[in-house]
Amino acid sequence: MLTSPFAWCFQTPGGHYVYDVNTSGFFRVSPAVHDVIAVETRKAKGAAVTPPLVERHGAIAIEQAREQIREQQAQGVFLPDRPKALRFSLDRQEIEERLRSRVQLLTLCLTEVCNLRCQYCAYGGGFTDHRGHSTRQMDWDTARKAIDLFLPRAAANSEASLTFYGGEPLANLPLLDKAAAYARSRRTAGLGMQLTTNGTLLTARAVATLVRHDIGILVSLDGPADIHDAARTDTEGRGSFDRVMRNVAALHATEPDYFSSRVAFIVSYRRVADLPRIRAFFASQPELFGGARLLVNAVQRPDDQPPTEDTDPAQQAAVWRALTGDYVEAVTTGRRTDAFLTALYFINLARIHRRPQVPMPDTLHPNGICVPGVQRLFCTVDGRLLVCERVAGSFEIGDLERGVDADAALRLVEGYAASSVASGCLDCPAIRLCTACFTHATAHGMDGPAEVATPHRRCDAIRANLEHMMSVYCAIGEARPDALRVFGGAGA
Amino acid sequence: MDGMIERVFAPSAVGAQAATTMGCECGCTGTFAEKDGHDAVLAKHPGATSAGIDEWAVAGDMQSIRWW
């Protein structure tokens, strides 16, 4: 009798692998072992399986595989054990302690005004619970109160971050200037500042403000003109590419030191099919983007739509094949990968590489969620405090008068954990690697018992992404194990 | 070969825990010296992961495909 392992089977160009959830280890296995475990895990889920295992491998091979799996199980590998609970690591008192002096990041929404009307904007009205376009601005009193609330509560951190968000934060330049100066006057060391911008309002005056206060910027730039302009348009429907590129080039010319150290770009792609051209665009202008840091994300799409707008699955797969092949080849031959490939793969692979490889405890932390109000805190234009800038407005955990309410934070994490269990997380082989968090959830009733709903609407996509990355990780390892060191440790 | 099972890319082999400190996703913001021991840290900090990963993970739309 073989008990069904809690495991995840996948392949690479050179082999068959099993990720054993209980040890968080990778095992290279024979095709027969791979197939036996794959079938057992499917059976454990109640799926009807009639695999041609014996026909494919022969009866003797299957029996040998089963015997080897049983031997491993006797040694504590490939066990069927599931975690018994998801529980947040900290109790109320521990959350409160962290809220008192270890808050890491505050984001101020300086304005809800934006001069663009990007098709995929979360504030465009297509997302449950997210606000629509608005003309509201934060006032100085609110910004000052938020900074006054934040800085003492970040005092125990050697580094704290103050970031600015919108709308388009440069649409409220006077408040940016005043808030940044005030924050610097109150904390002279260990305060990093940054903002996200659409790049169209990077005037000489705005640049002077950014440089004066050493505020780093993350510029939204989606690639070549036609791709960028297809989504990132102004209120008249005109594309913004030319304006952004003109401003970026001017910034590079006038402030080269600032540009090289404090400017990064974020790419939001709608179609996987566009990725090769986006990559080529950034590679084609080394003077501007050669040393730049890129972040690359698929656009956030409404719940009822597929993750991307691709219409041809075969083309989509071909793109991933080409990109992944390039990345694996570069890493295994010791070549430097371009910034675009690094953005797509490095963080995912580093997360896998740096996973805790210890026996699974009975109780796990609920996947990728933060400590609300501690790791990040978002202040709306009217002084409401939310979990972060990427969640819907329903994740309110305090205000500027009361600060963060530890009880609300605790209710939120407890509600999230309960909802995760109800969603089947305890039986999911991705449980120890999952990156889902509040941004995948909606919450209601935070003044009473929390109702956190549909926390994992993208589970299938997250699992597919993880499986792809595990395959890439093991492919690199089988070609050149020491190449995996690039994913480890600080400064890798 | 039919019953082959071999643990691969264990931490000691690929430097997975070579970092001198670990950060923790549970938000304690502490770092822990390697000498404290990974197990000991995890017992108190189930959200622990290695330091230096402070970015958003790439949105999970990459397909699980036969990419080679």
Side-chain angles (χ1 to χ4, degrees):
Chain A
M1 178 68 183
L2 187 66
T3 51
S4 176
F6 191 23
W8 196 342
C9 300
F10 60 96
Q11 295 181 52
T12 69
H16 293 72
Y17 289 83
V18 176
Y19 168 70
D20 176 40
V21 183
N22 277 283
T23 59
S24 205
F26 288 118
F27 292 80
R28 189 166 187 185
V29 300
S30 65
V33 170
H34 173 278
D35 287 359
V36 167
I37 293 178
V39 166
E40 289 294 334
T41 54
R42 282 203 293 273
K43 271 200 261 180
K45 288 180 185 163
V49 181
T50 51
L53 276 182
V54 171
E55 290 87 331
R56 192 184 308 164
H57 299 285
I60 294 173
I62 293 301
E63 191 41 48
Q64 280 179 346
R66 288 177 169 278
E67 182 55 32
Q68 288 298 313
I69 294 167
R70 277 192 289 267
E71 282 184 19
Q72 290 288 328
Q73 289 183 324
Q75 297 171 43
V77 174
F78 297 154
L79 297 177
D81 302 353
R82 266 63 172 169
K84 293 183 173 52
L86 286 180
R87 194 166 57 232
F88 197 66
S89 320
L90 309 177
D91 61 24
R92 188 190 184 287
Q93 186 184 345
E94 290 168 319
I95 292 174
E96 216 163 30
E97 283 169 10
R98 285 154 179 76
L99 287 170
R100 208 171 292 136
S101 64
R102 289 198 173 275
V103 177
Q104 297 170 27
L105 182 151
L106 172 69
T107 300
L108 294 182
C109 184
L110 296 180
T111 177
E112 292 182 353
V113 170
C114 187
N115 57 327
L116 297 190
R117 290 292 180 270
C118 303
Q119 283 183 10
Y120 51 67
C121 182
Y123 306 125
F127 293 84
T128 312
D129 294 338
H130 280 265
R131 66 172 174 83
H133 291 301
S134 147
T135 56
R136 296 195 308 166
Q137 305 253 30
M138 181 177 277
D139 60 28
W140 164 239
D141 191 48
T142 302
R144 183 185 51 76
K145 277 184 183 169
I147 293 167
D148 286 344
L149 182 85
F150 168 57
L151 290 179
R153 287 165 178 77
N157 297 330
S158 58
E159 296 290 332
S161 296
L162 176 62
T163 64
F164 305 98
Y165 203 69
E168 166 52 47
L170 294 181
N172 196 354
L173 190 59
L175 184 62
L176 172 67
D177 191 15
K178 200 168 180 180
Y182 181 67
R184 283 261 182 261
S185 73
R186 291 210 51 195
R187 178 162 173 159
T188 53
L191 179 66
M193 292 198 275
Q194 183 165 311
L195 61 80
T196 306
T197 176
N198 63 36
T200 61
L201 302 179
L202 282 168
T203 60
R205 192 164 148 246
V207 168
T209 302
L210 296 170
V211 173
R212 183 165 64 249
H213 299 303
D214 191 26
I215 303 171
I217 59 173
L218 186 61
V219 182
S220 296
L221 180 59
D222 287 356
D226 62 316
I227 291 174
H228 181 96
D229 284 346
R232 300 191 66 82
T233 53
D234 63 18
T235 52
E236 307 293 319
R238 295 171 302 202
S240 58
F241 178 84
D242 288 342
R243 274 173 284 174
V244 175
M245 288 302 291
R246 204 163 44 238
N247 290 340
V248 165
L251 179 58
H252 177 258
T254 57
E255 299 289 348
D257 292 341
Y258 173 84
F259 191 93
S260 63
S261 62
R262 301 294 276 141
V263 179
F265 297 89
I266 182 162
V267 179
S268 300
Y269 65 89
R270 296 179 300 152
R271 283 181 297 269
V272 172
D274 291 336
L275 291 178
R277 289 189 57 227
I278 299 171
R279 181 186 176 198
F281 167 77
F282 283 101
S284 71
Q285 303 192 58
E287 70 284 1
L288 282 183
F289 306 122
R293 198 157 140 270
L294 297 185
L295 294 176
V296 182
N297 280 289
V299 300
Q300 187 183 357
R301 303 247 293 157
D303 297 0
D304 57 349
Q305 295 180 23
T308 64
E309 294 178 17
D310 292 278
T311 53
D312 182 348
Q315 183 189 24
Q316 202 177 344
V319 168
W320 284 130
R321 270 196 297 276
L323 292 171
T324 305
D326 280 1
Y327 186 77
V328 171
E329 200 265 341
V331 173
T332 54
T333 57
R335 271 198 297 116
R336 185 181 169 83
T337 57
D338 60 70
F340 189 79
L341 283 184
T342 300
L344 282 176
Y345 293 92
F346 182 85
I347 294 165
N348 289 280
L349 295 170
R351 278 188 180 276
I352 290 172
H353 186 73
R354 302 177 197 184
R355 71 198 184 280
Q357 294 186 60
V358 294
M360 184 166 62
D362 284 344
T363 301
L364 284 176
H365 186 83
N367 49 63
I369 64 172
C370 60
V371 184
V374 175
Q375 280 153 293
R376 47 183 61 226
L377 183 60
F378 179 63
C379 181
T380 63
V381 288
D382 54 356
R384 291 182 303 130
L385 299 176
L386 308 184
V387 170
C388 83
E389 74 281 6
R390 296 198 298 156
V391 298
S394 50
F395 281 88
E396 191 169 333
I397 52 174
D399 57 46
L400 293 182
E401 305 305 324
R402 296 176 296 145
V404 173
D405 177 353
D407 289 321
L410 194 61
R411 282 197 298 271
L412 186 59
V413 295
E414 286 175 346
Y416 184 92
S419 182
S420 299
V421 170
S423 300
C425 285
L426 294 179
D427 202 37
C428 175
I431 190 165
R432 298 185 75 177
L433 302 170
C434 184
T435 53
C437 72
F438 297 123
T439 59
H440 300 82
T442 54
H444 298 283
M446 296 312 298
D447 292 335
E451 284 180 31
V452 182
T454 59
H456 305 135
R457 61 178 185 237
R458 296 192 68 195
C459 286
D460 287 344
I462 289 172
R463 277 192 291 265
N465 188 59
L466 263 173
E467 185 168 310
H468 187 96
M469 289 298 172
M470 290 197 297
S471 173
V472 171
Y473 181 81
C474 290
I476 292 170
E478 73 192 21
R480 213 185 115 186
D482 65 326
L484 293 175
R485 291 178 183 273
V486 75
F487 303 117
Chain B
M1 179 62 186
D2 286 333
M4 189 264 281
I5 297 173
E6 174 194 7
R7 182 159 188 171
V8 290
F9 320 135
S12 58
V14 297
Q17 290 173 28
T20 53
T21 59
M22 294 193 301
C24 181
E25 289 186 351
C26 82
C28 62
T29 74
T31 54
F32 306 93
E34 191 70 3
K35 63 180 171 56
D36 292 342
H38 208 154
D39 289 0
V41 172
L42 282 170
K44 281 195 166 183
H45 301 270
T49 185
S50 293
I53 306 178
D54 58 353
E55 308 292 351
W56 304 340
V58 170
D61 75 316
M62 195 169 279
Q63 292 178 322
S64 178
I65 55 164
R66 192 180 175 91
W67 54 265
W68 55 94

